Every structure is written in structure tokens, then in C-alpha cells.
Amino acid sequence: MSVVVAVEKPSIKVDEREPFEPPPEVVTTPCDPWPRPYYLEDGLRRVLPYHFTYNTNCKERWRGRELLDIFSSEFRDRPLDYYEAAMHQGKIVVNGKPVLSPSTIIRNGDVISHTLHRHEPPVTAQPIGTVHEDDDLIVINKPAGVPVHPAGRYNYNSIIEIMRAERGLTWNPLPCNRLDRLTSGIMFIGKHPKAAEKISEQIKDRTVKKEYIARVNGEFPDGEIECSQPILQISPKLGLNRVRANGKESRTVFRRLAYYPPRRNEQDQNGLDPKSIEPTSTTDETSQEHGMSWRTKQGYSIVRCLPLTGRTHQLRVHLQFLGHPISNDPIYSNQRVFGPSLGSHDDSAFADEDIIARLSRMGKDEVAEAVAYHDEMVNDYNKRKAEKMTGELCEICATPLYSDPGAHELGIYLHAKRYACEDGKWAYETELPEWALPPPGMEGPTETTVETEPLVNETQTLKLKDIENAATDMA
């Protein structure tokens, strides 16, 4: 008799996890024209409007936030109503798919795509100068007003894209140092990653001596002027930085190269005929009494600037704090933003919210003026010449259109003049920019010399040395 033995089979656990899903698809740019749609007109490099798609990975600070909230706080190119409508119309999508509502929560790993009809601001038609070129590196003289990288409203009108258009679509320029859009001067462009890394490391390790030239309001003090005020970014969205006790360590040495007092019957430092505007000079007592010390700052100075640290807007912020902002700086020499004192020796956070609110209106319903000695006639002049919304809309995408920028908005009086290796192996330098030369009929320096080399005291924390016995030369 056979016996059948029942054997209990072991239970097998089934993996009930969701099947693997590939990474999210993103929208591809519908048009990437080559050659780039540049054309030159009225001294400006212009770009014909074109369709373009931005693809942006979710940043850490965006996690768990609503999509519309992210656009309202991180982007200021267009009004909030536009972004909300674009979400409903499918122009803004997440992971390649339309969103159910602007309240969609963004999570880690999401990709936000935004397709739009892109209108780039014009930049100067001045060519990118070449100071030096070899097999590894190009040292350029960057024109003022041109951003280095594509960012914000700028894409093809950037140093990288202009150089690529000149040298070929597959050429990949590698910037090694940073310059603000409004600043001109020395920049290093690596031809390959190894060369770019070598220069970038030297700059990062503070073994490169940098010298800038600025043109500032009033008579800058003579001698070595050091500013060691820490700097804090108070609005990432607007790129606004100010002196704050809790900011990052910052240090700059300044030395006046020349001072040019005002003269009657000639145009002033912002290109205005004094006879065409109302006089603004007052007595020192009256000006100080009403908080208008800027009115007493007659004429302008050419100042040599030696940054010993590399904070964003460091020279612009330090010069403003010292009471001598760069003459045509649309942010830090803007009376409509900072008031009559222009932020001189102000390290308080008391007025930050008001300053941010006023600055955010510049270029929309107001003009981004940079005239320290403001009066109604000067204001009218800049309104006619400045970039602002015209009230007209694009026929294709209904985007509000801007007027052309004025000459005073294409750059500021700040120039990176010289970069030199600390051990003397290399040095690159440009001539003084035109705005730093003596005005017609006046005498002044046309170049910097060893005798006027700024003094840098030996500092262990910054690993800096004296510059070629400058103290002896200037004694």
C-alpha cells in the first residue's frame, strides 16, 4: 500500500513594487537656429525673436512647493499672470506632461520645461577683444553689458554664444573667472578642461593679483583706502548685496589715480550739458542737514581697486559704502532705490524691504537711473534714453516689449584691467578704458604705473604679499 505524504510548499514572496519607470522625458527645444539670428543695428547686437525651451531640474529649495509659487519667487522676466496662463496652455509642463493646476507640488527629480517665444535684449556691437591666445587659453577683453553665460533674458547675446558663433557650433568655450554683465575687461577662456581648471584653481587659491579701474562720484580720498566690510546677499532674485555684519569676509584696497573737478560749459560725467539742467549744488551744511551729502560730491575720480577677496558685487558695494559709488551704477548709485544718501556708510537692515521693493520696479514702471545728483531735468533725460516697457505687445506671444537700452545702461564704469600670477610667470593687461582717460582739455594719467601701484599689506589669512616694494616707491 502506497502512502502519499503531503509536503507543504514554502511560500514565495512576490515583489509587489511598482515596475521600473525610466527618467521623465523633457521637452526638446523646437528651434535652435544656426547660424545664430544676430544682426547689427544702431551700434547694438540684436537677436531676432525665436522659440526656445528651458529645462530645469528641481532645486532643493523647490521641493514640496507649488509650481506657481516657484515661478513667482524665482523668476521675474514676466508677470505672474503670464506664468499661470502658460501652465494652463501647456507651455509650462513637468516631466514632459501638462500639469493639472498651477498648485502642482514639485518633488525631487522633477524636470520643469518652459517653452516660450524668446525676446533677447540687445547688447553692444563692440567686438570681443583678444589680449592673448595660445593652444590652451584665450585672454579676452570683455565688452561691458554682455553677460558671460546665458542667463535670464540673455542667451545668444552672451560671451559664450558669441564666441561659439565666431568659431563654430561644436567649439566649447570654458570661462575661468567671473565678471558681472555690466563690467568690462580681462577674462580667461579655456580651450579645453585641463587649461580651464589650471587657471580657475589659481584664482580660487588667491595666487592671482587682480586690478580693476572704476570711475566714481566725487573726490575720492588720496592714499591707500582699505574697506574690510563683510558683504551679504539680501535678494538673490534681484542680485542685491549690501554691507552686513553677518555677511562674508570681504576686503578691498583702493587708491585714487586721478580726480577731475567739474567745469562749466562742458558735459558732466553722465553726458549731460550742465546748461540744460537745473543747478543742484548747495552748501555743505544744507546738504548734510537734509541727508543729501551726495550733492556736495562734485566731479569724479578714477580709482584703482585691488580686491583681496572675490564676493559678488564686492567693488560696487564697498565703493557705495565709502560714499563714492560708481557714477553710472544702476543699482548702487540709484537715488530712487537708496535715497539721497545712496547707502553711504549704511550697514543696517532696517530699510531692506523698501529697497528691494523699489529696485524690483526699476525697468518696469520706472527707469533704472544711475544719476546720483538727481533732479527733474536729469530724470526726464534718462526716461527718454533708458530701457523700459513700451506698452506694446509681441504679435506672436503677447509678451510686453522693451525699448532699447540707453548708452548708460550698456555697462558701468568698472573695468578688470590687469590679472597677474603672484610668482610672476604671467600677466595680462588692457589699456585704460576711454571713460578713464582725462577729459578734453584736462591733464591726467593715461596709464597706470609701478609708482602708483596699490599697496597690499602682508596678510597671513589671505596669503597676500606686498607688491614690488610699493610702499618704498610711494614714500
Side-chain angles (χ1 to χ4, degrees):
M1 179 176 176
S2 61
V3 178
V4 178
V5 179
V7 179
E8 183 178 354
K9 294 182 179 181
S11 60
I12 300 176
K13 294 184 178 180
V14 179
D15 190 348
E16 297 180 350
R17 291 179 298 178
E18 295 182 0
F20 170 77
E21 290 188 3
E25 295 182 357
V26 297
V27 178
T28 56
T29 297
C31 182
D32 188 17
W34 183 267
R36 301 307 191 204
Y38 296 121
Y39 66 102
L40 305 182
E41 182 182 71
D42 299 330
L44 298 172
R45 178 187 293 270
R46 303 179 187 271
V47 179
L48 292 170
Y50 57 96
H51 285 90
F52 189 84
T53 299
Y54 295 90
N55 291 307
T56 307
N57 293 303
C58 174
K59 302 181 186 297
E60 184 175 358
R61 64 179 180 271
W62 296 357
R63 297 175 189 174
R65 293 173 57 188
E66 295 182 359
L67 181 61
L68 186 61
D69 177 52
I70 293 172
F71 273 86
S72 69
S73 62
E74 300 281 342
F75 305 96
R76 65 186 295 253
D77 185 34
R78 305 194 181 201
L80 191 60
D81 290 346
Y82 164 83
Y83 293 120
E84 185 171 9
M87 293 171 193
H88 289 299
Q89 296 165 3
K91 296 177 182 177
I92 296 177
V93 300
V94 177
N95 301 332
K97 301 175 182 177
V99 295
L100 297 178
S101 81
S103 301
T104 297
I105 300 298
I106 300 302
R107 307 187 186 283
N108 186 29
D110 285 346
V111 178
I112 302 172
S113 302
H114 180 199
T115 300
L116 75 166
H117 191 232
R118 188 161 187 170
H119 296 256
E120 292 198 39
V123 298
T124 178
Q126 179 184 345
I128 298 171
T130 300
V131 177
H132 168 82
E133 181 172 0
D134 54 35
D135 293 339
D136 301 318
L137 198 67
I138 307 173
V139 183
I140 67 168
N141 187 1
K142 172 190 170 300
V146 185
V148 177
H149 300 275
R153 296 165 62 200
Y154 299 87
N155 182 29
Y156 297 143
N157 263 346
S158 61
I159 294 294
I160 284 179
E161 291 299 332
I162 293 172
M163 294 188 72
R164 181 176 286 127
E166 294 173 347
R167 294 174 178 251
L169 179 61
T170 59
W171 190 68
N172 185 32
L174 302 170
C176 309
N177 62 314
R178 296 180 296 123
L179 281 185
D180 293 340
R181 176 177 68 85
L182 297 174
T183 306
S184 60
I186 292 286
M187 275 203 67
F188 298 91
I189 307 294
K191 289 186 174 181
H192 54 83
K194 187 176 181 180
E197 182 179 356
K198 181 179 179 181
I199 290 292
S200 298
E201 283 298 320
Q202 291 183 63
I203 296 173
K204 182 180 178 181
D205 293 342
R206 296 173 177 168
T207 61
V208 175
K209 296 184 291 187
K210 298 177 282 186
E211 180 188 336
Y212 289 69
I213 296 291
R215 178 165 153 175
V216 305
N217 291 333
E219 185 174 4
F220 195 84
D222 202 1
E224 301 292 339
I225 305 298
E226 180 179 326
C227 186
S228 302
Q229 297 293 330
I231 294 175
L232 179 70
Q233 185 176 66
I234 65 171
S235 175
K237 182 177 179 180
L238 299 177
L240 180 63
N241 299 269
R242 301 206 67 195
V243 165
R244 289 289 179 273
N246 60 334
K248 294 182 178 180
E249 177 191 14
S250 308
R251 186 179 171 208
T252 314
V253 174
F254 299 100
R255 182 176 179 82
R256 191 179 80 197
L257 180 65
Y259 168 62
Y260 299 107
R263 297 192 304 178
R264 291 288 180 181
N265 303 320
E266 287 190 2
Q267 288 189 334
D268 71 4
Q269 64 193 47
N270 286 281
L272 301 180
D273 186 344
K275 293 184 293 184
S276 68
I277 61 176
E278 297 176 4
T280 58
S281 60
T282 62
T283 63
D284 288 0
E285 293 81 3
T286 304
S287 299
Q288 298 288 347
E289 184 177 318
H290 294 282
M292 298 182 180
S293 58
W294 55 270
R295 286 188 182 270
T296 67
K297 291 178 171 52
Q298 302 278 329
Y300 65 89
S301 301
I302 306 300
V303 178
R304 302 181 70 178
C305 317
L306 192 71
L308 308 184
T309 53
R311 308 305 177 202
T312 301
H313 292 186
Q314 176 174 318
L315 302 180
R316 298 164 69 181
V317 172
H318 275 175
L319 286 167
Q320 181 198 42
F321 182 82
L322 293 175
H324 297 273
I326 293 172
S327 302
N328 62 348
D329 193 322
I331 296 179
Y332 302 104
S333 189
N334 193 325
Q335 183 191 271
R336 288 182 176 270
V337 173
F338 288 97
S341 67
L342 292 175
S344 175
H345 295 90
D346 180 10
D347 59 0
S348 168
F350 177 75
D352 280 355
E353 290 187 7
D354 289 339
I355 289 172
I356 291 172
R358 290 194 292 267
L359 183 59
S360 68
R361 293 197 297 268
M362 294 294 108
K364 293 185 177 181
D365 55 350
E366 296 185 23
V367 175
E369 85 171 284
V371 180
Y373 39 88
H374 169 76
D375 63 23
E376 292 304 320
M377 294 295 290
V378 172
N379 184 44
D380 289 343
Y381 174 89
N382 279 305
K383 280 185 177 179
R384 294 194 300 271
K385 298 296 183 182
E387 181 193 31
K388 59 179 179 178
M389 288 184 177
T390 63
E392 300 176 353
L393 302 178
C394 173
E395 296 179 355
I396 296 177
C397 63
T399 296
L401 300 180
Y402 285 81
S403 62
D404 285 344
H408 61 290
E409 294 178 298
L410 290 176
I412 59 175
Y413 297 145
L414 181 62
H415 179 80
K417 186 179 185 298
R418 187 173 187 267
Y419 273 58
C421 180
E422 193 174 52
D423 58 15
K425 291 182 178 180
W426 55 261
Y428 302 106
E429 186 171 2
T430 72
E431 297 179 348
L432 283 176
E434 184 177 357
W435 48 258
L437 297 175
M442 298 186 73
E443 295 184 356
T446 58
E447 61 182 13
T448 54
T449 63
V450 175
E451 286 71 26
T452 58
E453 190 79 22
L455 170 66
V456 183
N457 293 323
E458 187 172 350
T459 307
Q460 290 183 352
T461 57
L462 295 174
K463 300 180 181 179
L464 298 168
K465 299 178 181 179
D466 292 341
I467 298 179
E468 301 176 356
N469 299 320
T472 302
D473 292 336
M474 291 183 292

